[in-house]
Amino acid sequence: MASAPPEAFLERLVELVRKEQAAEEEEASLLFTSAPVSLLEAKGLALGNLSGQTSIGLGGRLLIELERPSAYHVSPSFPPHDFRPGDLARLRQQGAAGAAGKKGAAKGAKDDKGKGKDDGGLDAVVYRTTATKITLAVDEPPDDFILPERIQIVKVANPTTFTRQIFFLQRALRKLAAAEPLSPLLSVLLGIKKPSIAQRASEDPLDLVDERLNDSQREAVDFALSSEELALIWGPPGTGKTQTLVEIIRQCVRAGQRVLVCGASNLAVDNILARLSVAHPRYPEPIPLTRVGHPARVLAGLTRHTLDAQSSVSDTSALLDDIKKDLEGLEGQLRNGSGKNRIRGSERKKMWEEVRELRKEYRKRQGGVVSEVVSKAKVVLATTHGAGGRSLDRFDFDVVIIDEAAQATEPACWIPILKGKKLILAGDHLQLPPTLKSSDRLTKSLSSSKSRSATSSTADGDSPAPASSLGKLLLFPDLEVTLFSRLLALHGPSIRRMLKVQYRFNEKICAFPSAELYDGELVPDPSVAARKLSDLEGVDEDEDLDEPVVFFDTAGQAMYERAAEDGSFGSESKSNENEADIVHRYVQTLITASVPPTSISIISPYNAQVLLLASLIHPQYPEIEIGSVDSNQGRENDVVIVSLVRSNEEGEVGFLRELRRLNVSMTRPRRHLVVVGDSDTVGQGSEFLRKWMAWLEDEALVKVP
């Protein structure tokens, strides 16, 4: 890989963001042009035969509330779907032909430049979802938009996240081009200077709020607080990363600093918010904090901390309510009038001008309320994407903390970075990286020592392979290398502290990942080291079930994988009916031994196998969680059953060779890990897989199903 100066590096990131956006849009376009709407509905990418009504929301947006009318549906509840707040959805009349100008298209169609869409629909952002209602938000709908009586919505690619990433990367480029010197933080991130060595001003022990922190957590807190520009906190599974970050945040607030806390996912942000919002006995004073983002994405019980909720109870919210009522009244007359009641001509034009002025006034006053709320907060929490919203435009922070930094692309991290003077990244680069649409290297192996040293070093005394020389940065072919990994390779392990005690899984489950991925430094806390399945209340004692790790080997039994039918939806995925049967039988064994269904999770690397397992097991045990490996990152349960799927004579394992996917799989359970697979196939996948199979054999953990 070539190295280049910082300007070229940032320009490459912009290029890669555009490449990722193009890949996502191409995938969506291919899907929608080749798949019938009925199939999109079956896959949760479309919902049809809906009815709706409009209202005015935050910022004067037009809100469209959709539900399933009894005239077309037996149940008012939506079937399983993939519409989430923040997604982009295209609203059109049910049965629309799909091309602009054809009969049935919704009025208000826009062109390719954002003033309309060529399929006769109106693009809107999913604002809120419940079991029976979906609310869409439209910033500035066309004046002649009329809500159809029968509505269909289709999920489409959302360019907003890419637009924000490019905007902030270009802002960083402008800072580079400016005459003023770069901030110390940006100089470190761009390899222009080395990080300052962390030195505490006092030799006295840190006065911790949470005195339960173990030694490695205390060291990480001390290191993060004393570092001047940059600190990395390496948190392997179950090591109390959130607890450590909460302590760092409290210490920053104690020191009078303002903190921006971000995460790669809403769940990561809300996990921190949930702990931070509870007063500690040694820190009884509530911390003024605000959660930025869609309220519907925030965990139940935490919505009172959202920017929306805090803005609604401000002193000027009553005036906003009055403007909102006027807007709703005017728009109701203009959009819903018909026949003799329809307003026409110059009066209609005048009323639309009044609507636009009211909307402008509403946004101005609502912006003032938002700024007032944010300015009072000592801690602001948002996703990396959410940190780029208008509500934080005018605000800077002393410290920016990014959780799950090893699961976020580097361009996403640059959004909050440009708002802070100091950066703390937390994550585990040996778990799954961000999911990419544009990478053609998703099945590459990272299991060799050469690959590992290119992105990290697992021992504090080791020197990583250099990512560049000073002032030169490597130009990567895609966005798979995260900021966390790049900085670790660029500046070495001196910028990182590892959390070494895990509180999740027992000693046997911990043994292999600790030895192979964490240099033997990851150890179980004594409270979990000997835990077993029969410790659960009511569960029968059974020598086999109390074995922490079991591998059911299907080698030599012709239990081969099967690909979906060529040309069908999801044909690239694979399934294995025999493995599904083995999993089903073992689930019944667990249930017979009184293991609660809610204590069991089933995961697989392949979505086709997830669907097969769900169809087989959910009719009998609907409480059992079944999902993909990727969707279970960050989750845990007492029992985790993994179906590896791959079984073929060629020894092809696909992306099973990705050691980070296997690491996630084997570190989800607390008490009992069960893996079903073909050792002959799996063992050919990579050096890491061969070592794993050898360890299973040595420990006598391999069984015949």
Side-chain angles (χ1 to χ4, degrees), residues 17-138:
V17 172
R18 290 193 168 119
K19 180 181 176 184
E20 182 69 14
Q21 180 178 0
E24 183 170 302
E25 290 174 350
E26 181 182 11
E27 181 184 86
S29 176
L30 287 172
L31 179 63
F32 295 137
T33 55
S34 62
V37 173
S38 59
L39 184 56
L40 294 179
E41 290 185 355
K43 298 298 180 181
L45 299 173
L47 293 168
N49 282 317
L50 310 177
S51 62
Q53 59 183 13
T54 62
S55 62
I56 301 299
L58 276 174
R61 299 179 183 90
L62 178 68
L63 299 183
I64 305 172
E65 187 177 79
L66 304 172
E67 57 187 358
R68 305 178 90 207
S70 58
Y72 303 109
H73 301 282
V74 175
S75 170
S77 297
F78 290 110
H81 61 80
D82 200 33
F83 289 94
R84 302 290 180 268
D87 290 344
L88 196 64
R90 186 160 301 161
L91 181 149
R92 58 192 183 193
Q93 182 170 309
Q94 184 75 30
K102 293 189 178 182
K103 186 178 180 180
K107 291 188 178 181
K110 299 185 176 181
D111 60 28
D112 288 337
K113 297 181 180 180
K115 296 183 179 180
K117 293 295 175 182
D118 60 5
D119 69 351
L122 177 70
D123 282 355
V125 175
V126 179
Y127 181 71
R128 183 178 293 112
T129 64
T130 68
T132 58
K133 293 181 181 179
I134 291 180
T135 304
L136 306 180
V138 185

Side-chain angles (χ1 to χ4, degrees), residues 290 353 439:
T290 293
E353 289 174 356
S439 176

Side-chain angles (χ1 to χ4, degrees), residues 237-315:
T239 52
K241 177 167 55 69
T242 301
Q243 183 181 15
T244 305
L245 291 179
V246 167
E247 179 68 33
I248 292 170
I249 295 166
R250 284 175 171 153
Q251 294 288 344
C252 289
V253 174
R254 262 184 174 181
Q257 296 176 317
R258 295 194 75 211
V259 186
L260 174 60
V261 181
C262 295
S265 69
N266 282 283
L267 185 59
V269 177
D270 289 342
N271 283 339
I272 296 175
L273 174 60
R275 298 198 188 194
L276 202 60
S277 60
V278 176
H280 193 278
R282 299 194 72 243
Y283 201 138
E285 190 69 24
I287 296 175
L289 44 82
T290 293
R291 170 68 159 95
V292 175
H294 284 282
R297 297 299 296 265
V298 178
L299 290 175
L302 298 176
T303 53
R304 68 185 185 280
H305 300 294
T306 62
L307 184 57
D308 284 31
Q310 293 174 346
S311 298
S312 67
V313 296
S314 69
D315 294 339

Side-chain angles (χ1 to χ4, degrees), residues 464-512:
S468 70
S469 58
L470 201 61
K472 297 282 187 178
L473 300 171
L474 289 181
L475 300 180
F476 297 106
D478 58 28
L479 295 174
E480 187 172 316
V481 176
T482 62
L483 178 66
F484 190 100
S485 293
R486 181 178 71 80
L487 292 176
L488 186 56
L490 177 63
H491 296 301
S494 63
I495 64 169
R496 179 201 69 198
R497 292 297 182 270
M498 176 182 174
L499 307 182
K500 300 178 179 180
V501 181
Q502 61 85 12
Y503 299 86
R504 178 181 298 169
F505 34 86
N506 59 37
E507 193 169 21
K508 180 62 70 69
I509 296 172
C510 183
F512 184 78

